[in-house]
Amino acid sequence: MLGEILDYNKLFVSRQKYKKYVLDKKPNKEIVIISCMDARLTELLPHALNMKNSDYVSITTAGAMIPHLFDSIMKSLIVAISQFDVKEILVIGHSDCGMDCLKTNDIYEQTNDVSFPEDFTDKYKSFLLNWLDGFNSYEENIISSMNMLKSHPLVPENILVHGLLINPETGELTLVASGEKH
Ligand SMILES: [Zn+2]
């Protein structure tokens, strides 16, 4: 695909097709959406939420899972909060997700020949045995990601964190948990 992409890109720039995409750096709605990388959501999700590109910061990761306090998802989020004045976070999982019940071993079996370098320690090896695991419950996964966000020492307490599920065909949203204070 690369040659095709680069050829098109020359036309895109020379014909100034970028002009309709020029935006402010900060999102209009001060919101971050953490969702799955599933390609079905790329256009559907913002339209289903009545959001434009300029309205929100998008962080995508497999299954909208946030398994660690100090991984790259959390790093992106902390930067978004501090640089883009984010006030609200939506964690949006979706039905028919590839991470549903995924086991690390399923991926290893597809790659046929998994061999760990000799200098890999036992600690790394045991980590890699379940590193790619998915989740067993859509709702529990969303709640777990929300809890990870809310427990992070660098996420200010006044940031609202909501959890939702989206249908990747119809765009219908189901609220899993609201971050509104009652
Ligand atoms: Zn997914």
Side-chain angles (χ1 to χ4, degrees), residues 81-109:
I81 291 171
S82 70
Q83 299 295 300
F84 306 137
D85 297 334
V86 166
K87 305 279 191 303
E88 210 157 349
I89 302 167
L90 300 182
V91 181
I92 306 184
H94 69 97
S95 47
D96 191 29
C97 183
M99 295 304 280
D100 180 22
C101 297
L102 181 77
K103 292 287 171 217
T104 302
N105 210 38
D106 300 340
I107 295 174
Y108 287 170
E109 281 176 6

Side-chain angles (χ1 to χ4, degrees), residues 37-67:
M37 63 197 184
D38 193 307
R40 291 172 293 178
L41 303 181
T42 307
E43 286 200 48
L44 176 73
L45 188 145
H47 283 104
L49 276 66
N50 194 26
M51 294 262 179
K52 297 192 282 296
N53 285 346
S54 52
D55 285 338
Y56 67 105
V57 174
S58 173
I59 299 173
T60 59
T61 184
M65 296 178 75
I66 308 178

